[in-house]
Amino acid sequence: MKQLNKSSTAVPSRVKMLVIACQLTCLGMSTAYAQSQTQEKTENNDPISSAQVTITGKKVGMGLMVQENTPKARSTITAEELAKQRPTGNAYEALELMPAVNSYNHDATGLFGGGLTLRGFNSDQIGATINGVPVNDSGSFAVYPQEYVDQENTCSQFVTQGSTDVDSPQIGATGGNFGIITCDPSKTKRIRVAQTLGQLNLSKTYVRYDTGLLEGGRTRFFISASHAQSDKWKGKGGANRDHIDMGFRTDFDKFNSISGTVLYNRAINQNISSFSLVDLEKFGYNYDFSQTFVGHAPASPGKAGNDTNSAFGDAYYQLTKNPFENAIASVTAKMRIGENTDIKVIPYFWYGYGTGGNQQKLQAENAFLNKATGRNTATVDLNGDGDTLDRVIVANSSVTRTSRPGVTASVTHTIGDHQVLAGFWFERATHEQFGPMVLVDANGNANDIWLKEGRVLRPDGTPYQSRDWTTISTSNQIFLQDTMSLMNDKLTINAGVRAPTMKRDFTNKANEGSNSGTDYNIEKTYREILPQLGARYQIDNNNQLFFSLARNMKAPPNFVYSTTNNVVLVNGKPTMPVDVQAETSTNIDVGYRLQSDKLTAQATAYSVDFKDRQATAYDPVANMSSLTSVGKVKTHGFEVELGNTPVNGFSFYGSIGYAKSEIKDDILISKTATLPTKGKQMTLTPEWKAGLSAMYETGAFYARLKVKYTGEQWATMTNDELVPSYTLLGLDFGYQFPNTSWIKKPTLRLNISNLTNEKYRNPSSFNVTNAKAYGTAGARTVFYYMGSPRFASVTLSGDF
């Protein structure tokens, strides 16, 4: 846990070892080649499900690579790779070996979520889709990877590192996008069962039923259900997750089809604590929330009787629950309306409800909102002792409820050497954020962890609210792209443009939050014209070059309209002294691909010019601190990944990424203080990252070693607190037993993560400016998530 004093400019020795390993991989593949590559389909012509371990499959890089042909940097992992991972894993974990991705999980199971940056962009600056449906939070653009889909139902995940696709439904993506594609129903009737058991009482039970092709041979359905649970790796508490996925597909002919999915998730997680270096030095690596409730003060009628609220780190663990449920429903219709014209329409609906953060709060009985005055002077007897003089521990948290219908529609028309794509996206998201309060009993249990029932009311009968916002975000986008095939298909050029627009209609209802005792409304509209240009040149059958230039944007998050920092009420009317602009970025990729029978490789050099980055800073004209645009960030680097088809049973995948970022301006944070950020590196952007996956397989057995290296990275924009580098090792084993008369493909898997019990940490926030004081600018605290220790689990699966 010792913090280093300066950043190393030399290539770390661990990176050198991984580079050498990649070189040895290439050497081995040049001396022997005994197997041929198979297509990524089952015997029923289905996409391979990640629940099915295809031990004899001969995929490039074990499913960590596919042979791409897009004129931009893009990486894809397939179901073959996902099948080897722990079934409770989430989308961030699945991407961890990719050279552009810096990701981590809060625990080894993946049930508690995690963090991700991509070429220095945080997860709320990266677009995320599932089956073409945007899943970034409509208010803050945050992503919650543990919520969306069962990994057994995922067929592929992809990342476009430099730009969003021209038809991607995004209004908050300056740093590319990643997508999840679920598996279609099987053409063969079956029941698939998988049971996972592991340390910390980990258990996951998964059952999926496929109807196979129904009468007429066109339509098929599936439905799956799973239950997963695990204890936390430190402290008390755990995760409890129930999930249902269902879908259908009807193929009318080769060009006309309709398919759809409903993905439902309900989870109750207890937070895993994040703490500062001071706390870690004082309390140790396994420090967590309190396991004992401090209790309520004895009743003292007529006298002030205050409960003792612990510090943040000592909140009672039963008051750190984070319940959430969400559902994503979508339909994809594909229609051919002419010999050269195809239409695709994707209507969808997204719903979510749940809380966030810790619920423990010490509430004064005389600090409730008086709507007549707009001040928190009304009184409520919370503990029933007959007076309103006390301070009482209650449960209070931010609740979010989202209803989000939308549709994407496009038409593709081929004329001569041109393939023209045109379409639109429309979405209207109603995003309610409010902070109700419920009482806590003598044992420290909230009356309702969902904060729905038994809400504490003000004297006027309305519920207490620590905030009360409704944001209606109406988004639309038109897009157009021409793909030109020239020189007998050797040269492909994409020229496209998308024009996203977002209107934020923000309503603050009077609440107990800071300076929020007045109703007000703010409307803002953000729009940009975002061109894209890409080219791919096929040198020969095995070699190609590509180039991409794209401009991206992200609208400001909705919390910039709260009165805490950015809004000033003048005679009850809201004004915004600092008008936060949309972020924009210009991304350039230049790359080379080798795609032979033996080896697939991709090398990309990139440059990112990032403008109007949103962060907390000081505006000298308004004389206030707020969320605002703080200047430019430039990042450049390179990424290399390569994988092979098996050679005498051996398969390899290797990746290495280098990123050099530079903040171009100092940040003014008060009238008298400027932070020296000019010339510093961006937070959570390690210069070096590398990954290696090496596997040996026979007809019924595989063994795989994974290595992930994450270089040093800065936790603050002033580069005054450094996060040490770390290397994680994992082992995966699988054995497929012979079929029997009642079970097919019975398979046993073993997953071991963090094999060497490495201790490491990752900052919990992307936006901490400084850890040391600079003149009148006080130091800010960096909080960290600690890396979880070695963890093992086994999974037994089969088809009936």
Side-chain angles (χ1 to χ4, degrees):
M1 299 303 298
K2 183 178 180 181
Q3 185 177 357
L4 302 180
N5 294 321
K6 61 181 180 179
S7 175
S8 173
T9 57
V11 178
S13 60
R14 290 174 178 172
V15 174
K16 292 181 179 178
M17 293 173 61
L18 289 169
V19 173
I20 293 172
C22 292
Q23 293 172 341
L24 291 174
T25 298
C26 296
L27 179 62
M29 287 182 294
S30 66
T31 59
Y33 181 69
Q35 305 292 346
S36 63
Q37 182 181 358
T38 63
Q39 297 299 312
E40 200 163 326
K41 299 285 183 179
T42 67
E43 64 273 14
N44 299 309
N45 200 37
D46 300 332
I48 296 172
S49 168
S50 61
Q52 175 184 333
V53 181
T54 309
I55 292 175
T56 58
K58 309 304 177 188
K59 311 299 185 301
V60 174
M62 300 158 289
L64 283 160
M65 287 191 76
V66 301
Q67 295 191 345
E68 307 279 4
N69 284 301
T70 60
K72 64 174 68 176
R74 181 185 172 102
S75 299
T76 301
I77 59 175
T78 69
E80 186 195 12
E81 164 61 20
L82 294 169
K84 296 179 179 66
Q85 298 184 3
R86 184 170 289 121
T88 56
N90 59 53
Y92 285 176
E93 182 178 1
L95 302 172
E96 64 181 0
L97 294 184
M98 291 186 173
V101 176
N102 176 34
S103 68
Y104 67 92
N105 276 320
H106 296 161
D107 84 316
T109 71
L111 294 173
F112 293 86
L116 176 143
T117 59
L118 180 67
R119 291 185 177 177
F121 291 95
N122 196 38
S123 57
D124 61 359
Q125 298 167 308
I126 302 165
T129 60
I130 297 178
N131 297 332
V133 176
V135 294
N136 296 79
D137 183 270
S138 65
S140 67
F141 303 110
V143 179
Y144 305 99
Q146 72 275 23
E147 294 178 357
Y148 303 125
V149 64
D150 262 333
Q151 186 164 279
E152 293 91 340
N153 297 330
T154 302
C155 260
S156 66
Q157 287 184 215
F158 66 88
V159 172
T160 56
Q161 294 92 330
S163 66
T164 60
D165 294 322
V166 71
D167 59 346
S168 185
Q170 302 295 344
I171 203 74
T174 41
N177 66 289
F178 78 89
I180 298 172
I181 307 297
T182 60
C183 296
D184 283 336
S186 171
K187 293 182 178 179
T188 302
K189 183 178 180 179
R190 68 184 180 193
I191 298 175
R192 173 161 291 163
V193 178
Q195 178 64 53
T196 300
L197 298 173
Q199 295 175 274
L200 298 174
N201 295 314
L202 171 68
S203 173
K204 180 177 182 180
T205 303
Y206 168 85
V207 180
R208 170 168 167 154
Y209 170 66
D210 288 85
T211 64
L213 289 172
L214 300 178
E215 186 175 354
R218 293 180 175 180
T219 301
R220 39 193 161 129
F221 294 86
F222 88 88
I223 183 170
S224 72
S226 71
H227 173 76
Q229 61 187 46
S230 177
D231 295 339
K232 290 165 54 176
W233 68 268
K234 62 173 183 173
K236 296 184 71 173
N240 195 304
R241 178 182 187 262
D242 293 298
H243 196 88
I244 298 174
D245 292 338
M246 62 182 71
F248 76 95
R249 181 180 181 91
T250 299
D251 292 289
F252 301 101
D253 54 39
K254 182 178 179 181
F255 303 105
N256 297 272
S257 66
I258 183 169
S259 60
T261 57
V262 176
L263 315 175
Y264 172 79
N265 188 78
R266 178 184 171 94
I268 301 174
N269 289 358
Q270 284 170 297
N271 292 328
I272 294 178
S273 58
S274 61
F275 295 104
S276 68
L277 295 181
V278 173
D279 290 330
L280 290 170
E281 184 71 23
K282 182 178 180 181
F283 298 110
Y285 194 84
N286 293 324
Y287 181 43
D288 199 70
F289 298 108
S290 174
Q291 299 181 23
T292 304
F293 182 54
V294 294
H296 293 298
S300 55
K303 296 181 181 180
N306 297 332
D307 290 353
T308 302
N309 195 23
S310 305
F312 168 78
D314 290 326
Y316 183 46
Y317 81 97
Q318 290 285 36
L319 295 175
T320 65
K321 294 180 179 179
N322 182 19
F324 201 87
E325 67 175 346
N326 61 285
I328 305 169
S330 66
V331 174
T332 301
K334 297 180 180 180
M335 297 162 283
R336 170 152 288 193
I337 60 173
E339 182 179 355
N340 298 313
T341 305
D342 295 279
I343 291 176
K344 182 168 70 172
V345 181
I346 306 177
Y348 62 86
F349 182 79
W350 195 104
Y351 171 80
Y353 176 95
T355 73
N358 299 329
Q359 296 183 346
Q360 184 166 321
K361 177 184 177 69
L362 187 63
Q363 175 66 31
E365 293 181 326
N366 61 357
F368 287 77
L369 177 67
N370 183 336
K371 287 191 173 182
T373 64
R375 299 182 180 276
N376 295 339
T377 57
T379 59
V380 174
D381 184 6
L382 294 172
N383 58 7
D385 67 352
D387 62 45
T388 56
L389 305 173
D390 311 317
R391 295 168 66 87
V392 181
I393 291 178
V394 296
N396 162 249
S397 180
S398 172
V399 173
T400 299
R401 180 169 55 209
T402 302
S403 298
R404 189 175 175 183
V407 61
T408 300
S410 63
V411 57
T412 303
H413 180 69
T414 302
I415 177 170
D417 294 329
H418 297 260
Q419 186 181 75
V420 179
L421 171 67
F424 72 91
W425 164 56
F426 176 83
E427 178 184 275
R428 188 178 190 272
T430 301
H431 195 66
E432 300 171 275
Q433 297 166 282
F434 48 99
M437 174 194 298
V438 299
L439 297 179
V440 172
D441 67 19
N443 297 316
N445 298 307
N447 285 357
D448 178 17
I449 63 172
W450 294 86
L451 304 182
K452 291 182 177 181
E453 305 295 332
R455 292 175 178 174
V456 174
L457 303 180
R458 304 170 182 135
D460 63 6
T462 59
Y464 169 97
Q465 300 287 8
S466 54
R467 68 174 177 178
D468 197 356
W469 308 340
T470 298
T471 307
I472 299 175
S473 300
T474 304
S475 304
N476 63 79
Q477 173 178 268
I478 57 173
F479 53 87
L480 176 66
Q481 178 178 276
D482 183 11
T483 301
M484 295 163 277
S485 180
L486 308 172
M487 301 172 61
N488 294 321
D489 295 334
K490 292 178 70 70
L491 176 64
T492 300
I493 297 177
N494 282 356
V497 63
R498 59 190 186 99
T501 299
M502 171 179 273
K503 178 184 178 182
R504 296 277 205 192
D505 184 347
F506 178 89
T507 300
N508 179 84
K509 301 175 185 177
N511 60 77
E512 279 82 353
S514 175
N515 299 320
S516 297
T518 304
D519 293 347
Y520 66 86
N521 175 264
I522 293 176
E523 294 185 4
K524 289 283 185 179
T525 299
Y526 307 91
R527 56 172 56 93
E528 294 284 344
I529 303 296
L530 306 175
Q532 296 186 7
L533 178 64
R536 175 183 59 82
Y537 181 71
Q538 194 74 37
I539 301 172
D540 54 34
N541 289 337
N542 296 333
N543 298 275
Q544 63 179 242
L545 302 174
F546 64 90
F547 166 82
S548 174
L549 170 65
R551 191 165 183 261
N552 302 317
M553 75 160 288
K554 174 192 171 185
N558 70 320
F559 56 77
V560 302
Y561 313 119
S562 72
T563 56
T564 303
N565 291 315
N566 284 71
V567 177
V568 176
L569 296 177
V570 179
N571 296 323
K573 295 183 179 180
T575 61
M576 296 185 68
V578 179
D579 189 11
V580 182
Q581 301 297 310
E583 296 179 347
T584 59
S585 67
T586 302
N587 299 265
I588 301 175
D589 291 340
V590 179
Y592 162 77
R593 294 188 183 109
L594 169 65
Q595 297 179 342
S596 68
D597 291 337
K598 301 179 182 180
L599 178 67
T600 296
Q602 178 173 283
T604 307
Y606 67 89
S607 174
V608 179
D609 188 358
F610 188 25
K611 297 179 180 179
D612 294 323
R613 186 186 183 279
Q614 297 158 9
T616 300
Y618 173 75
D619 182 76
V621 177
N623 190 25
M624 65 180 296
S625 294
S626 62
L627 188 76
T628 188
S629 303
V630 297
K632 300 179 181 179
V633 178
K634 291 193 175 182
T635 305
H636 65 272
F638 65 84
E639 297 152 1
V640 179
E641 55 182 335
L642 68 161
N644 74 300
T645 51
V647 179
N648 295 330
F650 287 95
S651 301
F652 298 87
Y653 169 86
S655 70
I656 187 168
Y658 171 79
K660 182 68 172 179
S661 60
E662 182 182 0
I663 301 173
K664 306 301 289 186
D665 303 291
D666 288 335
I667 299 178
L668 195 63
I669 63 167
S670 73
K671 193 173 183 179
T672 59
T674 300
L675 292 178
T677 56
K678 185 177 181 179
K680 301 298 196 302
Q681 297 183 44
M682 198 58 198
T683 55
L684 277 63
T685 309
E687 285 195 15
W688 292 98
K689 183 186 178 297
L692 177 66
S693 179
M695 184 176 72
Y696 175 75
E697 63 177 345
T698 66
F701 169 79
Y702 71 78
R704 191 261 291 269
L705 171 69
K706 288 170 58 177
V707 185
K708 173 190 174 183
Y709 170 79
T710 302
E712 299 170 349
Q713 53 188 315
W714 291 106
T716 62
M717 297 180 196
T718 50
N719 292 179
D720 53 15
E721 189 161 303
L722 187 67
V723 185
S725 62
Y726 59 90
T727 301
L728 300 179
L729 275 68
L731 286 176
D732 302 316
F733 299 93
Y735 183 79
Q736 185 170 298
F737 298 92
N739 291 345
T740 70
S741 59
W742 57 279
I743 184 172
K744 297 180 180 179
K745 298 183 179 66
T747 303
L748 183 67
R749 286 178 285 161
L750 171 66
N751 299 100
I752 305 174
S753 53
N754 196 3
L755 184 66
T756 59
N757 243 347
E758 177 96 348
K759 290 187 175 182
Y760 61 100
R761 63 177 187 262
N762 283 283
S764 64
S765 174
F766 188 75
N767 288 314
V768 180
T769 52
N770 57 297
K772 297 180 180 178
Y774 295 87
T776 59
R780 302 191 178 189
T781 303
V782 182
F783 291 92
Y784 294 91
Y785 286 108
M786 298 298 103
S788 57
R790 180 171 51 243
F791 188 86
S793 65
V794 293
T795 302
L796 180 62
S797 62
D799 289 353
F800 296 88

